[in-house]
Amino acid sequence: MDMRTSDDTAQLYRQLILPMEDRMMRTVWRIVREPEEARDTLQDALTRIWRKIHRIHNHPNPQALVLRICADAAVDTLRKNRKKRDYSNPNLLSQMADDSCKESIERLVRLETEAEVMEAISRLPKKQALAVLMRVVQEESYSTIASVLGCKEATARIHVSQGRATLSRTLAHLQIPFSQEVKK
Amino acid sequence: MTGEEKRELGVDRLLKQVMLDDLPAELRVGMQRQIRDFKPVPQTNKKLWLTAASLILVVLGGYLQMTGSRSPLAESLATLQTSMSFSIEMERTTSMACTVELERMAGDKLHYEIVWAPPGKTRVDLKAKNGNAVQTLWIDHNLACVLDYADQSVKRWTSLEEFEHPLFRPVMGLLTPQRIAERMDGRWQLQTSKRQGNCDVGNYRIIHPQDEQEIRLTVDVCTFLPEKIVMSVPVTGPFGRMDQIRMSVLFSWNRPIPASYIKIPTKPAYKKTGSITKQTQEE
């Protein structure tokens, strides 16, 4: 019988989590981008990790699975916040029409862009969102993505591709065409 | 480069621009402390393990039905006597009180005190560590309600059949002597016997033939009433993690119970329509 104690769990937690705490924090922060929300998200992720620690330990790629759990919790935060935020009037620039301060305008443009991107990610199917974030933000290989999503590598590629395609359509107005960038 | 590849690069670049790797130093310190000092909330799986614990009594009944064959030991007089129906003696009782301890291997504990008085009143106190009741389940014949001491509220009376409360689910099989007897009837194997006062006290057990889980029962052989039941059951927690729940029940029988202790604070009025209201008790 598998009789695991809380001491075993705590030991595994320390062995597995402490060496990769930096990557975990950065993963959560890069997706959530709001300090209080990031801390809440990290707490949520740690709770999930603690519950699954033995399964994670036995996984062929435990580090990637931990990062997937962090990204998963972060996407959940985005989705939860989508319901709270008022996106009906996302044009923050209009509120600053008279503001001549370049820095303020740039900041607002950035916030607006960030909000739109996060909104678009939160609307993706969960696996597509995770696959895109793991590929683009965490720069994981397709085989790693497949192993933590529990699918074949080809399926992982499809998730990333479909997620990118949806984001590309949704966020087309925010992207500088690649051809223009090359010309520069 | 194909159009698709260009679009992909555009999206990737946009995501990287937005999701900058710029974790603020102050937040990093806070999050680091959060990771290193992380303590799981003990109540996280409370509902799940309570559900599992509620199965213990069902399992108990199941074990008893499965153990049909009699061993050579069972030929002893004591075993023959205790293999009789407990219900005969239990139906004669004038009161029943028991304390129930539920303990999970991970450390969570729940403590209940149950008092039953005929014809059909039961009080179940869920106790905090300091011994004070946190919630009380009142049962009056076929109606049940819960008194929550935190907000001094009496929840709506409901029929006992429909009553569903996660915190009281584990002890629903111990509310009356009849319910207990239904789960105890079966063949037990005598392990030890010793004299206590004028009566023998026998320790019996049933071992499940497949997983060797054991249920221990201590019976006063004079009265054929149980004194103690101890059993532990393995349960599968979330994500396949194994856990163990130990249940210990200590009984006392036929002792006088003060009327005030069993006085129900509200009186149910059950309407034919099925809706239930509460009234102030006028006793």
Side-chain angles (χ1 to χ4, degrees), chain A residues 1-5 9 13 17-18 21-22 25-26 28-30 33 35 38-39 42-43 46-47 50-52 54-55 110 113-114 117-118 121 132-133 136-137 139 161 164 167-168 171 174-176 178 181, chain B residues 1 4 6-24 27-41 44-45 105-106 211 213 234 238-244:
Chain A
M1 192 189 296
D2 190 3
M3 301 286 282
R4 290 156 179 168
T5 64
T9 306
Y13 174 87
I17 299 308
L18 297 189
E21 60 183 17
D22 192 58
M25 293 186 291
R26 281 160 49 210
V28 169
W29 168 250
R30 290 180 78 174
R33 306 204 63 78
R39 294 195 64 153
L42 180 65
Q43 189 69 16
L46 292 174
T47 305
W50 182 276
R51 281 192 217 145
K52 298 180 183 181
H54 293 279
R55 204 181 74 169
R110 176 168 176 78
T113 307
E114 199 175 275
V117 170
M118 298 309 181
I121 291 171
V132 168
L133 290 171
V136 178
V137 178
E139 297 179 340
S161 174
R164 271 178 170 149
L167 290 177
S168 179
L171 304 172
L174 296 176
Q175 296 173 62
I176 303 167
F178 186 73
E181 184 72 11
Chain B
M1 188 178 285
E4 191 182 340
K6 286 176 185 171
R7 277 198 304 276
E8 283 186 358
L9 277 172
V11 168
D12 287 7
R13 196 176 46 195
L14 180 63
L15 292 183
K16 282 177 179 168
Q17 280 173 355
V18 168
M19 298 179 175
L20 288 173
D21 195 0
D22 58 350
L23 177 64
L27 182 59
R28 176 188 294 273
V29 172
M31 290 173 99
Q32 205 168 38
R33 200 179 306 124
Q34 203 177 342
I35 290 174
R36 292 178 182 182
D37 300 343
F38 175 74
K39 293 276 186 302
V41 182
T44 307
N45 297 327
M105 193 177 69
D211 58 16
Q213 282 302 303
F239 317 113
R241 189 176 168 211
M242 293 303 295
D243 204 341
Q244 191 95 10

